[in-house]
Amino acid sequence: MPTELLFRQDAYLKETPATVEAVNERGGIVLDRTIFYATGGGQPGDAGHLRRADGNLIAIGTTIYDPEDKSRVLHVPLEGQPAPAPGEAVTAILDWERRFKRMRIHTALHLLSVVLPYPVTGGSIGDGDGRLDFDIPEGGLDKAELAEKLNVLVARNADVTERWITDAELDANPGLVKTMSVKPPRGSGRVRLVAIGDIDLQPCGGTHVRNTAEIGLVAVTDIEKKGKQNRRVRIALA
Ligand SMILES: [Zn+2]
C-alpha cells in the first residue's frame, strides 16, 4: 500500500495517529499515513518521534522514500531505538520547530525565483537557511538590493495556495517549470501547482507556509560564483 502523504494536504499537521505497516531489514518504519516530509526537491526529510501505546518514544532521525518502492515512505529511526511491530498503533509527532523553518525558507526560495527570473539549476533547504543556483548570463548581483526586493514580496502578505493540473497541461505550459534540476512530482497523471498570490506559480511537491507574512524578514547572506554562468544565492531567516 502506498503511504498516504498527509503533509501534501496539510503542511501544518504536527501529529497524527498511524498504523505501522512494516519495518524493513534496516529498521526503516513504514506507516499507513505520515505527516513527515520525505527527502526530495532539495528539502531534507523530517525528524520527530513515534509515540507508542505505552507512551514510550521512538526517535526518528530522517524520512525518505523507500528506494525499493517509491510510493512508500520510510521513517528512519536513530540508532538504538526499539522497533515497533507491524499492525502497531502509534502517534507520529513532527519536530515542528525545524519543519516550520524549512517551510519558511522553502516559500522564500519561491519568491527568490521571482526576484531573479533566471533558470534555476539547483537548490537546497536547511534549518533557517537555503540556496538556489541560477543560470545567469552576467554578474552584478547585489546582496542588499536582492534582500530588499525579497522582503517587499514577503511583506505583500500573499496567500499560498495549491491547485492541480494534468501532466498534459503541464507539457503544454513548459514555462511553468523554473527548476530544471528538480523535476515536478508527476506519475499520478496530475501535477501540483503552488501559487503565491499573483506573484508566483510553479509545480512543487514541497511544504509551504500559508501566507508570505509567516516567512518574516529574510537576509541574503551570500552570492557565490559557481562557474561562468552560475550564481549561488544563499538566504537566511533574519
Ligand atoms: Zn515549493
Side-chain angles (χ1 to χ4, degrees), residues 20 23 27-29 49-50 52 54-60 75-85 88 90:
V20 176
V23 180
I29 301 164
H49 291 90
L50 304 182
R52 311 179 81 173
D54 63 6
N56 285 324
L57 299 175
I58 299 169
I60 303 298
H75 304 78
V76 183
L78 295 178
E79 231 168 289
Q81 298 295 303
E88 188 173 329
V90 294

Side-chain angles (χ1 to χ4, degrees), residues 28-229:
I29 301 164
V30 181
L31 303 175
D32 61 336
R33 60 219 299 258
T34 192
I35 51 173
F36 285 50
Y37 182 81
T39 306
Q43 185 170 329
D46 280 327
H49 291 90
L50 304 182
R51 190 174 61 220
R52 311 179 81 173
D54 63 6
N56 285 324
L57 299 175
I58 299 169
I60 303 298
T62 190
T63 307
I64 58 170
Y65 289 101
D66 185 347
E68 272 145 41
D69 176 0
K70 293 273 168 61
S71 75
R72 303 204 309 179
V73 167
L74 290 179
H75 304 78
V76 183
L78 295 178
E79 231 168 289
Q81 298 295 303
E88 188 173 329
V90 294
T91 302
I93 305 162
L94 197 58
D95 180 344
W96 171 250
E97 209 173 304
R98 237 194 281 185
R99 154 72 94 65
F100 188 54
K101 280 184 190 158
R102 291 172 182 170
M103 284 161 59
R104 291 164 67 198
I105 284 291
H106 182 129
T107 312
L109 291 176
H110 278 243
L111 297 179
L112 182 63
S113 77
V114 173
V115 170
L116 287 172
Y118 302 100
V120 175
T121 57
S124 108
I125 293 159
D127 301 333
D129 58 11
R131 63 166 171 87
L132 285 181
D133 297 338
F134 294 93
D135 192 349
I136 295 181
E138 78 280 350
L141 297 180
D142 180 71
K143 278 194 275 186
E145 193 187 317
L146 279 184
E148 198 191 320
K149 287 181 178 168
L150 203 49
N151 285 310
V152 164
L153 294 181
V154 168
R156 278 173 59 180
N157 300 345
D159 285 332
V160 182
T161 56
E162 62 165 52
R163 57 180 186 261
W164 293 80
I165 60 170
T166 63
D167 285 355
E169 283 172 301
L170 181 68
D171 290 336
N173 295 280
L176 284 173
V177 182
K178 296 180 182 182
T179 307
M180 296 183 295
S181 64
V182 181
K183 295 252 162 50
R186 358 175 18 140
S188 59
R190 54 186 210 144
V191 178
R192 180 196 199 215
L193 291 183
V194 173
I196 304 181
D198 59 0
I199 300 169
D200 184 49
L201 178 68
Q202 58 179 294
C204 189
T207 54
H208 311 86
V209 296
R210 290 186 185 123
N211 186 286
T212 58
E214 292 181 69
I215 297 170
L217 209 56
V218 176
V220 173
T221 52
D222 194 32
I223 299 172
E224 210 178 318
K225 196 172 169 184
K226 304 288 280 185
K228 207 167 136 202
Q229 290 217 337

